[in-house]
Structure formats: structure tokens, C-alpha cells
Amino acid sequence: MSKEQTLVVIGNGMVGQNFLASLVESPAKDDYKIVTFCEEPRAAYDRVHLSAFFTGKSAEDLSLVEPGFFEQHGITLHIGDKAAKIDRHSKTVTSQNGVTIRYDKLVLATGSYPFVPPVPGHDRMNCLVYRTIEDLEAMAAAAKTGKVGVVVGGGLLGLEAAKALKDLGLQTHVVEFAPRLMAVQLDEAGGSMLRRKIEDLGVTVHTGKNTSVITDGEHCVNKMCFVDGEELETDIVLFSAGIRPRDDIARDCGLDVGPRGGIVINNQCLTSDPDIYAIGECALWNGMIYGLVAPGYAMARTVVADLTGNEASFTGADMSTKLKLMGVDVASIGDAHAKTQGALVYTYQNGASEVYKRLVVSQDKKQLLGAVLVGDASGYGTLLQYCLNGIELPENPDALILPPRSDESVGLGPDALPMSAQICSCYDVTKGAVCQAIEAGCTTIGALKSETKASTGCGGCAALLKSVLNSELAKQGFEVNTDICEHFPFTRQDLFNLIRVEEIKTFDVLLERHGKGRGCEICKPAVGSILASYWNDYVLKTEHLGLQDTNDTFLANMQKDGTYSVVPRITGGEISPDMLIALGQVGKKYKLYTKITGGQRVDLFGARVDQLPHIWKELIDAGFESGHAYGKSLRTVKSCVGSTWCRYGVDDSVGLAIELENRYKGLRSPHKIKFAVSGCTRECAEAQGKDVGVIATETGWNLYVCGNGGMKPRHADLFATGLDKATLIKYIDRFLSFYVRTADRLQRTAVWMENMEGGLDYLKSVVIDDKLGLCEQLEQQMQHVIDTYHCEWLTTIEDESKLKRFRHFVNSDQPDDNVVFIEERGQIRPADEEERKHFKMVEVA
Amino acid sequence: MAQWIKACNIDDLQPDSGVCALVAGRQVAIFYMPKESTVYALSNYDPFGKANVLSRGLIGDIKGQPVVASPLYKQHFNLQTGVCLEDESVKIPAYAIRIENGSVQVSIPE
Ligand code: SRM
Ligand SMILES: Cc1cc2nc3c(=O)[nH]c(=O)nc-3n(C[C@H](O)[C@H](O)[C@H](O)COP(=O)(O)OP(=O)(O)OC[C@H]3O[C@@H](n4cnc5c(N)ncnc54)[C@H](O)[C@@H]3O)c2cc1C
Ligand code: SF4
Ligand code: FES
């Protein structure tokens, strides 16, 4: 059959798109010409991660459509065009823009819309919902002028929306009709634990509140009046009071819909018309609407199978969920409310650490029926597997929620799971499929993801996927090779320990004792860096020179044409006019291209290797020192104006930035380290994008760690609050020393921490609670580096024998004739290849 | 016939590292491994980075072959043959080199 039939899909949301993606992978694609109507102005995007829009993800980043998808598969996409009418007699769909398409098969994937309670005033200004990118844009616009935001609805989505309002800088309230938060998923005690935690974060929660009217506010745009007589002024009202299936178009053409909405479907996802299917949030199966993606994807797979002529049926889906709501872990599994006949309940509540856990088990205590976790959801994966696979519970089921009293582990190892266990519910990937992919050679998480799609949806199964991978690799006798390179059978961390314990001071000794061959450009700089971190010798000492990476060998950054750039330190970005003039004079004298860097200092480009010592001599005479822009070491401590000048400043950010930069300058580390200090929460120094960030507050300094910009930007995590300066510095000393000791080569703090078992909490326990008993050593390690600091450029220009190397030719004073500059915007730049041919003769400087 | 031309003296060399010498108008990168008493000479021009920088690369070995890693984009070149390990179709000039009484001599083909 060659595309004689037409398949129309109404709705290009998450499920509609997932359907198309599975369809084009199936044989059925050859049978149909495919047409889809997409009401929104853009094709499908990831609604699940919609909130990421506020943390910098663009609409494009959120897109679920691979570039060229529609073209490549010959799918006609009517974008921004809503299907308005279905005529089941003539089998046609007509759109708002007047397109009429005849269909043989029709799939409805129209999703749902946010329910807005019909209280008077619900359509006033700034009364919004949270479903589409346009909704978020409206929110961001309203937040610009508003101060207060209220979310109506304390369910899952409502709390997520509350976080968004909070992040937009609004005073945030949540108003819930039910007596507790997340009433669908949580029981009474779990709900109140969640409430406490969320209130700790500065969101005010009102439960058992019924809104009677929304009117003009006095201080804010709106005022909400409640049935109990109380009032709440707010600029923004965000409704998140549940969803309703978009079934109008089905209703109008006479398809069966449920009494409370939803297009009725059977196990094949067929509606009451045998040529029309419905999938996703618009569909009503067995009296249920599923407001999650995974069941929608399962419906999509069922329809593809049905169209292909395979037998398949949708038989319901698991509604278990695990989320981080405003930083609080919350999970709910199966029958959380213990509605099953004879169910027994175990609860564990720890008021001190604000953890609540509840297990619902069968009468014979053999099966897990459900669970609720608040504050610590680390057991989610294990519990879910018990529940879904009917694995028999241990003798004392409460061991599963009690904190471990001994070293014995009660977790379910991946080995205990049957091959049919579902690892990823978004993409229905079983353990069997994962194991098969591993056998076929996918030995990394990345490879597994692209082969099986597991963990590419909501990401909730990442930890489980990793443990299956590791256990399978171990079983196959695979040793995951973590050797740094062919010359040393060790990790960087091992090498650090060898150097420390055996007091090794040179590469040659290390190689002789523990390695083989001559070394290479991987192990040499790594060892050079460890030696420098620990002993802090001059890096250009003869025995260390050959270890240094390109830039360190000449203490400058090599540019594309082999010339260098010069970046003197400008601590905290503070510089006097005289120092600026001195910089300008050097730039002018040596005709260097001059630019302000992104790190609050000045870069001078185009210096020939033989010019470097002369330039540095002049800079040092003017009072500058090395900026280590070339090293894997502390770069800059960025600052904002701070309390000295700024009308909002709470503390002296410039002073602290300078002090920190002077303290840690010269510290060699696994990768570069960047700091910033802001004088108040407006955060003009962007401290939350740095490896170490400090923000002044009324109660002291807040310390953030493990952020970065670059290729994969990461927001830093709040590490400790309200610190005095001495404690702040102590924590940073320990943090940095621990990083220097244990990170991999070229691993920034963010990746280091993310790969650390236990993550941020573990790091806190090491640095703050001294869990490893290492803190004193770590502080000493740092103190040694601080005490032995020396400006490498000063040492270099004072040593005649070192200066000999700063020549292009050992046997001639001629410069490199391949270095040619062109003038552009009044300064020099390297000539490109064509230009070089023409201008080769031109002399410069 | 190729001739031995003096490039520099042995103490102009950098142990376990490289220098560049101008020999008969060519830029020659000279690498010195004192523990093995070996010297190597390659062209200083990096054909990938298109700059005269190879003498400033890190040296070592990969699977037993002595190599220099370009300081710009890290391709490896065999110090004996000049063949690029990442792309064997690329080969840079490698020169014969010897040390005679402390004088480092390179042979440049005509
Ligand atoms: C000069 C400068 C650009 C500018 O003109 O503004 C710059 C220039 C280079 N950056 Fe950068 N980065 C500069 C600020 C930044 C910033 C902004 C900042 O520090 O606030 C970032 C993002 C923030 C961050 O790192 O978290 C940045 C992220 C990178 C990265 C990506 C790091 C990552 O973790 O993903 C690299 C690549 C790397 O290090 O592996 C990089 C690497 C480089 C290198 C070293 C690339 C190279 O090997 O040639 C460039 C050296 C040029 C030179 O010769 O000086 N540069 N680079 C900035 C120097 C700041 C300073 O005063 O020291
Ligand atoms: C902020 C937020 C967070 C969420 N978090 C999670 C989560 O963590 N986990 C989870 O499982 N789920 C989550 N969800 C729910 C999840 O997004 C939905 O289950 C999923 O999007 C449903 O997919 P769908 O295709 O059925 O509906 P939608 O994605 O809504 O797609 C329906 C599309 O059809 C279009 N449409 C409707 N009628 C027509 C018509 N007549 N003609 C043309 N087009 C039409 C709509 O404009 C829409 O684009 C979240 C939802 C939101 C809003
Ligand atoms: S962004 Fe890229 S090109 Fe620009 S300075 Fe940084 S490394 Fe160089
Ligand atoms: S469960 Fe959502 S990505 Fe695997």
C-alpha cells in the first residue's frame, strides 16, 4: 500500500508528538499520508520542564521536535491552526484557517486546559494560568511590575508555579481549598510536613480557603476575598486548580464523552467511532484521566501498534510520582491513602530533620501497595520496584523506611529486579532492554540514553538506570577504566594521595615508582598541577617545566597565531586610574590589542614570546602581578559595587572580593576556579554562577558553591547562610582543598559535586560537620599554599636562566615571520591565511 | 647531498621539552629527552593550527611512539616520522639530527 490513506492528528503537544515519533519508526508510516494540526504557535515542546523557561531555557531548548522531523517524514504540519470541526459522515476535519482534510484515521491528542474556578473577577488583569510558553511570558511580564503573587491550588503544579513566582522575586502565597497541600498524593501528616518545609522557604500557605470574589486591591492590582471573611492583596493570581480535558471538538461531533468530561476510549484507545482514537490528557479510560506524560506515551504506543496491525492494549498506568518541589523531595507511590481493603500502614516521622515516610502494605504484609515520602525520597526507586513488580517484602517492611541502624542495606539491588521490570516509565524501557543494549556495547549512560531513550524524558529514572548499568558491567567482568592515561594505572585522586603520602616532589620519581613509559600531555599537566597544588613550587623549575600545559610554559595564553595574551591580576575588578594608565601605556608601547574581559579585567593580545618578559617587567614595576589567566587555578573574584557606594549594599563586597582573591590567587587546581561576591541579593556580581559565590545579607554572608557558566551553565547551590567572615573563609578553605584533592582532571566543581555520592549533602557533611575528620588537614593544606604564594612572573623576570627560553629561535633574534597583524577598528588583529600571503613582508613593532 | 648544519648548542635545549631553531631558513622544532639522550627534529609549523608553534608542545609517548602534542589543538605527531596520529594522511617534515661534541646538528634535505 503506498500512502493511499490519510491519518490526521489533532494536537501537537507532548503526546501528539510522541505518537508521530513512534509512528514514523513503525511500518505503519508507509500506509499513511500524515497531517497534523497544531493550535499553538510552535510545534511540540516539553511541558514537563516548562518551569525551566524561567531558569534560562528558551522555547527552542524545550522543543521536542528534532530539526527537520516533519520535512524528513513528509508530515504536513498546520502550525498555529486549530482544528475546528470534525464531520464524521464525510470523514473530514476543518480548521479555523479553513483547511479541510479528508481522513481515514483520526487521532485526537488535544490535551487539557487549566481549570479556572468561576469566581467573580477570575478574568481580571493579571489573573493567569500555567500551561503554555505564552502563559509563562505573561507571568514574567506581570511580575515585572508586581510585588505579590498568589497561586490558587496547592497541588503538584500549583507548587511548581509558586516556585516560579518566588524565583521571579515575588512575595508568594499558595491558597488551597483542601485542608492540606497535594491532597491527591499526600496524607494528612505528609501534607503538613510539606507545608512546614515550604513555609520555611518563605512561601505563605493558606489551606481550607475558598475564594468568593476577586476585586480591586488597594496596594496591589487585585484583592482576593475568601468565604471566611479574610482578604489577601496580590498583583498576580495564578490559577492551578486542576485540568479539564479538551473534549469540545469530540463532543460536537457526537463522540462519547464522560459525565465530567474526557473522550471515552477503550483498551485500544479507540473512541466510540472505530476510525477515531484519542490519546493523552483528553482521553478518558476506565473513568480515569491521566494527567501525566507517561500514560499518554503508553496510549500513543498502543495506537501505533493498533495501526500496524499488532495486538496491544492500554490497561491503565501507574500514577506514582517523585518530584523536587522547591527543593523539597516529595514522592507518592500507588495506593498512598491506604484505600485497599485490609491495608496496613507504617509511618516514620522525624521532626528534627523534617522527614515523613509512610508505607501501605497488604494485609499479609507481603506486598507493597503504596508509599508517601516527604523530605527524603531516596527510597523511591526501590519502593516503586517493590510495588510495581509485586516483589515480596522483607520480614519487617518498616526497615524500608527506617533510617539504617547498621551498615546493612535494605535497598533493592538492581539484580533483584526481574527482566520485565520497567526502568523508565516515560519510554517504557524494561531492565531487559537496558541489559540488551549494554551487551550490544552501550557501556555509558550517554550511549544507553541514545540507544534506548531511557532517562531522556522526565529524568526520574536516572539513578536506577545508572545502577543497572553498573551492576551489569560488573557482572560482565568489565572494570570501568578510570586510569588517567596509559602511563599510570591510577585516577587523579589516587595520584594526589600517592604524592601526598609518599611526599613525592617530581614527575620523574612518580613515574619511576608508579608509572611506565615517558608520560604524555594528559598525565604530565595533571601531575604538574597536583605537585603545584600540594607543594606550590615554582612551575617553571627545570624539573617541572616539561609538565606544564601550553599556556603555563610561558605563563601566558597562546593565541591562534602563536602569539600570546597578557592578563595581569586586577583583584576584585578594582583598579586605580594610575594603574589603568600604566596598563594603557604598556598596551600602547607594545602595540597590543586591548580588551576588557568578561572577568572584570584587561587582556592585552598579540605579544610575541620574546616580548613577554619585557612587558611583564613594565607591568610589575607598575605594581601588577600575574593574573594566572593561563593556569588551571583561581581566575577572578568578580565583585559588585557593594555597600561602600551602592544604596542597596548590605556589606562591602569589593573588600571581601579583594581579600578572597588575594588569599587564593596562585592556587593550582583540577580546573579553573571562579568566584564572585555580591553586596546584596540583587546579585550584580552573578555569584550564583560561580564555583564559589558569596552574597551579603543582613544576617551575614551566604555561601554558594559549584556553579559555572561556560558550556553547561549550572546555578550554584546554597551551601551555608548567615556566616561571619572567619567561618566563611574556613569553609572556603576546606571546600577548595577537598576539591583539589578529590576532583578529576579538568573537572569543574559542579561536575565534581554532581558525581560525588551523596552530592551536596555529603559535601556539607565533610566541610561543615567534618564527617571525615579531615578539616584540619584541609585547612593546613590551604594555609601552605597561601604562605608560599609568589608571583610567577616576578620569579621569572628575576631569573636570567629562565629568560633564555623567551625567544622564538634559540639561535636567532629574528621574529616568527608567520605572525602578521592587520589593523581593525584602530587596533591590531592576526591576519587570516589569505592576508598573510599578501602581507608577509610587513614588519610590526 | 644533505649536509649537517649546526642549529645550536646542547645547553640551548630544554630538557623534556622543545625549542625552535632557524636552520637554513626553516623553522625546526628540536625536542630533547636527556634521560634517554635522544633528540628529535620536526618542522615547527603546525598544519592544523597553521602557526609555528610545535616546539612549544608537550612531549611524551603514545603506545610506545615518541610524540609531541600540538599546543593549539592537541594533535599528536610522531617525533621520528612526523606522521600525525589522528590523521595519518598528514605528515610534517622530520629531520635527521645528531649531537657532536655538544653541538646540535640538523640535516636539511636540499
Ligand atoms: C579572555 C576571556 C574572554 C574575554 O575577552 O572576555 C576568556 C578567554 C578564554 N577562555 Fe573563557 N574567557 C574569559 C571569561 C570566561 C567566562 C566569564 C567569566 O569568567 O565570568 C566564562 C564562563 C564562566 C565560567 O567559566 O564558569 C568562560 C568560560 C570558558 C570555558 C568553559 C568552561 C566550562 O566550564 O565550561 C573555557 C574552556 C575551558 O576552560 O576548558 C574557556 C577558555 C578560554 C580560553 C582559555 C580558551 C583558550 O584556551 O584559548 C580563552 C583564553 C583567551 C586568552 O588568551 O586570554 N573559557 N570564560 C575572559 C577572561 C576573563 C578573565 O579576566 O580571566
Ligand atoms: C508546568 C507543568 C509541569 C508538568 N510536570 C509534569 C511532570 O513532572 N510529570 C508528568 O508526567 N507530567 C507533567 N505535566 C503534565 C504533562 O505536561 C501533560 O501530561 C502532557 O503535556 C500531556 O500531553 P498531551 O499531548 O495530552 O497534551 P498537551 O501537551 O497539552 O498537548 C495538547 C496540544 O493540543 C493542542 N490542541 C488542543 N486542541 C486543539 C485543536 N482543536 N486543534 C489543534 N490543536 C489543538 C493544544 O494547544 C496543545 O498544544 C506537567 C504539566 C505542566 C503544565
Ligand atoms: S567564548 Fe570561546 S572564543 Fe570567546 S574567548 Fe571564550 S573561548 Fe575564546
Ligand atoms: S521515567 Fe521519565 S525519563 Fe525515565
Side-chain angles (χ1 to χ4, degrees), chain A residues 594-637:
Chain A
T594 306
K595 178 179 184 301
I596 306 288
T597 72
Q600 294 189 334
R601 47 190 188 176
V602 177
D603 203 342
L604 305 165
F605 293 82
R608 293 190 320 256
V609 66
D610 55 286
Q611 293 177 318
L612 287 172
H614 302 287
I615 293 171
W616 272 104
K617 170 97 185 46
E618 294 191 26
L619 290 173
I620 285 171
D621 287 345
F624 287 101
E625 51 182 9
S626 168
H628 293 95
Y630 45 81
K632 299 289 177 248
S633 54
L634 176 77
R635 290 287 164 85
T636 58
V637 181

Side-chain angles (χ1 to χ4, degrees), chain A residues 9-13 15-16 37 39-40 47 82-83 86 107-113 131 244-250 263 278-283:
Chain A
V9 182
I10 302 184
N12 187 242
V15 174
F37 288 95
E39 172 192 40
E40 294 190 56
R47 229 180 276 292
K82 180 177 167 182
I86 300 169
V107 176
L108 305 177
T110 50
S112 57
Y113 65 91
R131 175 112 195 145
R244 295 291 182 268
R246 296 190 59 176
D247 54 13
D248 286 358
I249 193 166
I263 309 167
I279 54 178
E281 284 188 346
C282 61

